[in-house]
């Protein structure tokens, strides 16, 4: 429905969008492509949730690391090591989704394909198919789902085990910023 307003005049009409009549369009193929695209969007959304949770956890760990170093490096050396280790583990989990950062110069390639690369490739192939999905797209979707499932299992295992243990240990540390207050008097 299109509405055109000009001053205090108004007109409206209903518009029907149709495919190009010069092309033979298979409606079932279009529906299959649409359904696969929506499925891949769901996978991408799930990956985004996992990486957001990892990012929030990394931020918490970095804040604790900073606070522990400011408070007393020697007293909290064990907790500092645990926090650095947990941050490193989170970085490894990020690498499952985004791939590892390669510091080398020039054109480089990581032999390990990340989850987002798999999802991106599958999305591209699916979105460019006008005559329906082929076995190639189905294989790409299956591989993306398998990699995402594997990455989510690792992330969930991390949060259920490593993160839970780390959190319980860190929560016992008193990082109270307040110092003992003494009464101040003028000396005669």
């Amino acid at each position: 429905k299109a509405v055109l307003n000009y001053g205090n005049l108004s007109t409206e009409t209903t518009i029907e969008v149709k495919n190009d009549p010069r092309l033979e369009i298979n409606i079932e193929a279009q529906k299959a492509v649409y359904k696969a695209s929506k499925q891949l969007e769901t996978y991408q959304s799930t990956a985004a949730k996992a990486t957001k949770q990892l990012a929030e956890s990394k931020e918490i760990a970095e804040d604790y690391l900073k606070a522990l170093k400011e408070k007393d490096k020697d007293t909290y050396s064990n907790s500092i090591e645990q926090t650095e280790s947990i941050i490193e583990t989170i970085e490894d989990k990020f690498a499952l989704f985004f791939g590892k950062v390669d510091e080398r110069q020039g054109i480089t390639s990581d032999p390990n394909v990340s989850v987002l690369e798999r999802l991106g490739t599958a999305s591209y192939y699916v979105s460019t198919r006008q005559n329906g999905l082929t076995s190639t797209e189905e294989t790409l979707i299956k591989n993306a789902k398998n990699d995402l499932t594997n990455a989510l299992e690792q992330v969930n295992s991390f949060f259920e085990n490593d993160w839970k243990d780390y959190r319980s240990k860190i929560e016992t540390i008193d990082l109270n910023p307040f110092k003992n207050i003494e009464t101040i008097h003028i000396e005669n």
Side-chain angles (χ1 to χ4, degrees):
K1 183 177 190 178
V3 179
L4 179 63
N5 294 319
Y6 181 74
N8 50 342
L9 300 174
S10 179
T11 184
E12 62 182 61
T13 186
T14 302
I15 298 173
E16 184 179 345
V17 179
K18 293 184 178 182
N19 288 317
D20 188 341
R22 299 170 292 177
L23 301 175
E24 290 184 30
I25 305 291
N26 181 345
I27 300 298
E28 292 304 315
Q30 280 186 332
K31 287 181 181 178
V33 167
Y34 179 79
K35 183 178 176 186
S37 294
K38 288 298 178 185
Q39 181 182 22
L40 287 167
E41 283 179 20
T42 303
Y43 295 162
Q44 289 170 334
S45 174
T46 303
K49 283 181 191 175
T51 56
K52 181 181 179 190
Q53 188 169 325
L54 284 168
E56 290 169 349
S57 299
K58 182 181 177 191
E59 187 177 332
I60 290 168
E62 287 173 340
D63 289 345
Y64 268 106
L65 181 63
K66 183 179 174 185
L68 289 168
K69 285 182 177 179
E70 286 176 359
K71 189 86 168 174
D72 188 356
K73 282 186 180 181
D74 296 331
T75 306
Y76 299 115
S77 63
N78 190 23
S79 297
I80 289 172
E81 287 176 22
Q82 286 178 327
T83 303
E84 288 171 342
S85 173
I86 211 81
I87 289 171
E88 192 174 302
T89 304
I90 291 172
E91 286 294 332
D92 291 342
K93 302 309 174 204
F94 271 132
L96 296 171
F97 291 93
F98 301 113
K100 291 190 186 242
V101 176
D102 195 345
E103 300 293 334
R104 296 178 295 175
Q105 241 181 334
I107 299 171
T108 61
S109 178
D110 185 1
N112 299 323
V113 182
S114 72
V115 171
L116 292 184
E117 286 174 311
R118 290 229 188 255
L119 288 170
T121 302
S123 293
Y124 172 75
Y125 271 75
V126 167
S127 67
T128 58
R129 297 299 172 227
Q130 296 181 8
N131 297 322
L133 302 178
T134 65
S135 62
T136 301
E137 290 78 35
E138 290 171 3
T139 300
L140 289 170
I141 292 169
K142 184 182 86 174
N143 290 342
K145 181 180 180 183
N146 289 342
D147 278 9
L148 177 60
T149 301
N150 181 33
L152 291 175
E153 286 173 357
Q154 290 184 44
V155 168
N156 289 334
S157 174
F158 164 75
F159 280 114
E160 290 169 6
N161 300 314
D162 300 345
W163 183 256
K164 190 184 263 186
D165 293 343
Y166 169 75
R167 180 178 174 174
S168 65
K169 288 176 185 171
I170 292 297
E171 286 177 338
T172 61
I173 298 173
D174 181 24
L175 291 176
N176 188 349
F178 295 102
K179 297 178 181 176
N180 291 332
I181 304 297
E182 62 182 75
T183 306
I184 302 171
H185 301 282
I186 299 176
E187 292 182 22
N188 293 332

